């Protein structure tokens, strides 16, 4: 309790709600993750720019996109070690997250990088996607680990 009668009053509250979120035109990306443990990108038919995570349309030229299967491997472009996380992930800290440029893509994907020794991580290292057994259609269905 504060001694300031004019301070903002804070009271505990819980919200519980369920909703269905649509991935719209990028739904295939998550279906492939769930059903086939495979990462996809989409490539613009006009400018050939290749996006992963995928987009609903080409942000560069508004051209149509086609789906392209990826090999699930890429290169660490940047990363950081998280020591203080949100309540959902705090028990997992410290952990690494970073931008991974997947083979065949022009963009980088922000994702968790799991390693036994976080001090070994370096920009430029090769990584591969590893999929959870119980996939739910979220970005938490997979992470990256150092490739052999
Ligand atoms: Zn384009």
């Amino acid at each position: 309790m504060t001694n300031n009668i004019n301070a903002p009053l804070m009271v505990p509250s819980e919200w519980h709600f369920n909703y269905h979120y649509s991935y719209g035109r990028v739904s295939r990306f998550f279906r492939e993750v769930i059903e086939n443990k495979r990462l996809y990108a989409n490539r613009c038919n006009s400018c050939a720019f290749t996006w992963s995570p995928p987009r609903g349309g080409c942000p560069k030229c508004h051209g149509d996109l086609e789906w392209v299967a990826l090999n699930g491997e890429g290169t660490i472009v940047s990363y950081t070690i998280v020591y203080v996380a949100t309540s959902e992930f705090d028990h997992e800290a410290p952990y690494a997250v970073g931008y991974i440029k997947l083979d065949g893509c022009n963009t980088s994907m922000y994702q968790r990088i799991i390693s036994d020794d976080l001090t070994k991580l370096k920009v430029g290292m090769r990584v591969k996607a590893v999929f959870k057994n119980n996939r739910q259609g979220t970005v938490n269905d997979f992470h990256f680990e150092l490739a052999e």
Side-chain angles (χ1 to χ4, degrees):
M1 281 304 228
T2 178
N3 292 329
N4 182 352
I5 194 70
N6 294 315
L9 179 62
M10 303 291 281
V11 295
S13 176
E14 287 188 33
W15 292 14
H16 299 278
F17 53 93
N18 296 311
Y19 63 97
H20 295 270
Y21 180 86
S22 173
Y23 288 127
R25 297 174 93 179
V26 300
S27 294
R28 180 170 175 177
F29 177 84
F30 291 98
R31 281 201 180 95
E32 295 287 353
V33 167
I34 293 169
E35 297 171 12
N36 302 313
K37 296 183 182 179
R38 188 140 205 198
L39 297 181
Y40 269 71
N42 48 24
R43 180 183 317 138
C44 179
N45 286 328
S46 297
C47 73
F49 206 86
T50 304
W51 308 85
S52 194
R55 308 299 198 276
C58 182
K60 288 176 63 78
C61 75
H62 307 291
D64 291 330
L65 301 168
E66 64 180 344
W67 289 101
V68 180
L70 302 175
N71 66 6
E73 297 183 12
T75 304
I76 298 173
V77 174
S78 67
Y79 72 95
T80 189
I81 309 299
V82 176
Y83 292 95
V84 179
T86 60
S87 57
E88 183 176 353
F89 300 105
D90 196 47
H91 67 284
E92 299 178 37
Y95 60 86
V97 292
Y99 281 95
I100 309 300
K101 188 172 183 298
L102 292 165
D103 294 352
C105 293
N106 296 103
T107 58
S108 298
M109 174 182 289
Y110 182 76
Q111 189 59 281
R112 177 83 67 96
I113 305 167
I114 292 181
S115 172
D116 291 341
D117 184 356
L118 297 176
T119 64
K120 288 182 182 173
L121 296 179
K122 303 281 184 251
V123 168
M125 285 183 140
R126 298 284 299 162
V127 291
K128 62 181 179 186
V130 176
F131 297 86
K132 286 182 177 175
N133 289 330
N134 182 21
R135 295 175 300 285
Q136 304 289 319
T138 74
V139 295
N140 295 321
D141 284 351
F142 63 96
H143 63 269
F144 288 94
E145 294 181 1
L146 295 178
E148 303 300 317

